[in-house]
Amino acid sequence: MLLDKFERFASALSRSMRASEVRDLLSVIKRRGDVISLAGGIPDPSLFPKRELAEIARKVIEERGDVALQYGETKGELEARRALVDLMQRWRGFRAGEEDVVITTGSQQGLDLLARTLLDPGDVVITENPTYLAALGAFRAAGAHVVGIRMDSQGMRTDELEAALRRLREEGRKVKFIYVIPVAQNPAGTTMSRDRKRHLLELAEQFDVLVVEDDPYSYLVYDQVDVASLRSMDDGRVLYMSTVSKILSPGLRVGWLVSPEDLSRRFELVKQYLDLHSPTLNQYIVAEAIRSGLIEKVVEKAVPRYKGKRDVMVESLEEEFGEGARFVRPVGGLFVMAYVDEGFDAGKMLGTAVEKYGVAYVPGASFHTDGSGRNSMRLNFSYPSEGQIREGIARLARLVKSSTST
Ligand SMILES: *Cc1c(COP(=O)(O)O)cnc(C)c1O
């Protein structure tokens, strides 16, 4: 590989990083036009409000160009922070202070900020098991030790969390925060019950750790369920993060992080060295998309579309696999995580899946913190059409059957 020529110049961190197995397959998927990809994690682009965003962008540049095209504040433009505070109040039931919000370059930068600002090598971060791959990557890059806690249909098993916190304290390990995705968890699809949320907050208090609530999906919920935010139940130690990626456009790269004020100042200091600030123009566009009601309009259209696709995926899995696939029916979000026959190694079979069966997925093992989940696959339903979902699941069923019947 060309890269190796410069290996001696590379940092230990960059040498420890590997391209994801999925990225390598993207070229194969592109070359063979007939592969159905359930591997992505991206919105349906026909839901992007292109005309409306073009109008907003033109208006912002023409009327507010002097500020919208200028350098801005590190924590984000006041106007955009105000719009986000308003959005959270209306949709998530808590009122954050404008000074407690830091606008980030996607949630991904929020994760990086958390890692850089809070973690020293050897610190412990507790997550759900499985959890969001990009969060695992950010925490591990900071040298953190990640401890995953199993989930059931109610979300993180807080009895096991309690046992882990106790054990880690006895071992003298420093747990900095518990990272959870309480609604339509990526990848498992689970939504946390209110009792579990309460118990989690009690334990955080008892063991003096922070809680990070990553909340991209509660704006995109398809069923009538309780999605009360952790932040609305406790404003002392919950850090809240979200993004416009799933409800407007991921390409805008606008996310935000809400924390108690002393902490938000620290995040701001660190962010200054990463990118000075997130793109000013995009912040003004997002502020206008919130103020004008555009985000609500997009979500109103997205919810029935995604709900339909979710239902097709769940039905196809039930029809094609019967008892052979275990999964949580997600109340929102973009994914179903399916656990199939223990004999099936999703990572090993991905090449065959793409080349011979014309279907792609993300092997679940890398989302797991402990090497488990080799028989799991993360399946995306937002991007493919309903027909593709049906056919894709049928192909998967044939693949699993053929590779476990020998
Ligand atoms: C999609 C997603 C995000 C969004 O990340 P961005 O960097 O804002 O695009 C964050 N967290 C989780 C759990 C996600 O699934």
Side-chain angles (χ1 to χ4, degrees), residues 41 104-111 131-135 179 181 184-187 214-217 241-246 249-251 253-256 334-335 378:
T104 54
T105 304
S107 283
Q108 191 57 36
Q109 186 179 55
L111 294 167
T131 190
Y132 183 44
L133 200 51
Y179 168 82
I181 307 160
Q185 204 255 12
N186 178 6
D214 188 359
D215 189 40
Y217 298 121
M241 55 197 292
S242 191
T243 174
V244 302
S245 288
K246 312 292 159 48
S249 150
R253 307 308 300 133
V254 172
W256 65 98
L334 315 179
F335 308 105
R378 193 191 68 176

Side-chain angles (χ1 to χ4, degrees), residues 123-299:
D123 282 346
V124 175
V125 172
I126 295 182
T127 69
E128 292 147 323
N129 183 25
T131 190
Y132 183 44
L133 200 51
L136 274 178
F139 303 154
R140 284 179 174 153
H145 175 61
V146 176
V147 173
I149 307 291
R150 279 193 304 171
M151 286 180 277
D152 61 17
S153 61
Q154 311 286 300
M156 182 185 268
R157 288 274 305 259
T158 44
D159 55 337
E160 296 192 7
L161 170 65
E162 183 168 5
L165 284 165
R166 197 150 285 171
R167 175 174 56 76
L168 289 159
R169 187 164 66 185
E170 274 157 22
E171 290 168 2
R173 307 292 304 257
K174 180 78 200 151
V175 181
K176 286 285 176 66
F177 58 85
I178 304 167
Y179 168 82
V180 287
I181 307 160
V183 177
Q185 204 255 12
N186 178 6
T190 318
T191 294
M192 240 179 147
S193 69
R194 196 173 281 240
D195 284 349
R196 289 286 172 81
K197 286 182 205 153
R198 266 198 214 103
H199 195 198
L200 171 69
L201 293 172
E202 280 165 25
L203 291 170
E205 189 68 31
Q206 188 186 334
F207 288 85
D208 188 31
V209 297
L210 294 170
V211 174
V212 175
E213 174 176 31
D214 188 359
D215 189 40
Y217 298 121
S218 67
Y219 304 83
L220 209 55
V221 166
Y222 319 132
D223 304 324
Q224 295 282 340
V225 285
D226 178 7
V227 293
S229 67
L230 282 166
R231 175 59 170 66
S232 70
M233 298 166 69
D234 177 314
D235 64 359
R237 52 179 73 238
V238 177
L239 280 62
Y240 176 92
M241 55 197 292
S242 191
T243 174
V244 302
S245 288
K246 312 292 159 48
I247 50 174
L248 185 64
S249 150
L252 287 171
R253 307 308 300 133
V254 172
W256 65 98
L257 176 59
V258 183
S259 49
E261 206 172 321
D262 298 349
L263 257 180
S264 53
R265 266 193 290 276
R266 271 182 209 278
F267 290 126
E268 198 184 342
L269 278 174
V270 175
K271 177 175 164 70
Q272 193 169 355
Y273 294 103
L274 300 182
D275 61 358
L276 293 182
H277 60 77
S278 299
T280 322
L281 176 59
N282 295 7
Q283 295 180 48
Y284 279 95
I285 291 173
V286 167
E288 187 56 29
I290 294 171
R291 264 204 312 258
S292 66
L294 177 61
I295 289 205
E296 265 102 333
K297 262 177 46 195
V298 174
V299 169

Side-chain angles (χ1 to χ4, degrees), residues 73-123:
E73 270 193 89
T74 299
K75 63 174 173 261
E77 295 303 289
L78 180 59
E79 220 175 292
R81 285 184 279 119
R82 279 201 177 130
L84 292 170
V85 164
D86 176 57
L87 183 79
M88 289 183 280
Q89 180 162 27
R90 281 187 289 129
W91 293 40
R92 304 304 289 125
F94 63 87
R95 176 145 193 103
E98 284 147 9
E99 300 310 307
D100 303 345
V101 177
V102 176
I103 294 181
T104 54
T105 304
S107 283
Q108 191 57 36
Q109 186 179 55
L111 294 167
D112 188 36
L113 278 176
L114 285 171
R116 288 174 190 265
T117 311
L118 302 177
L119 299 176
D120 290 313
D123 282 346

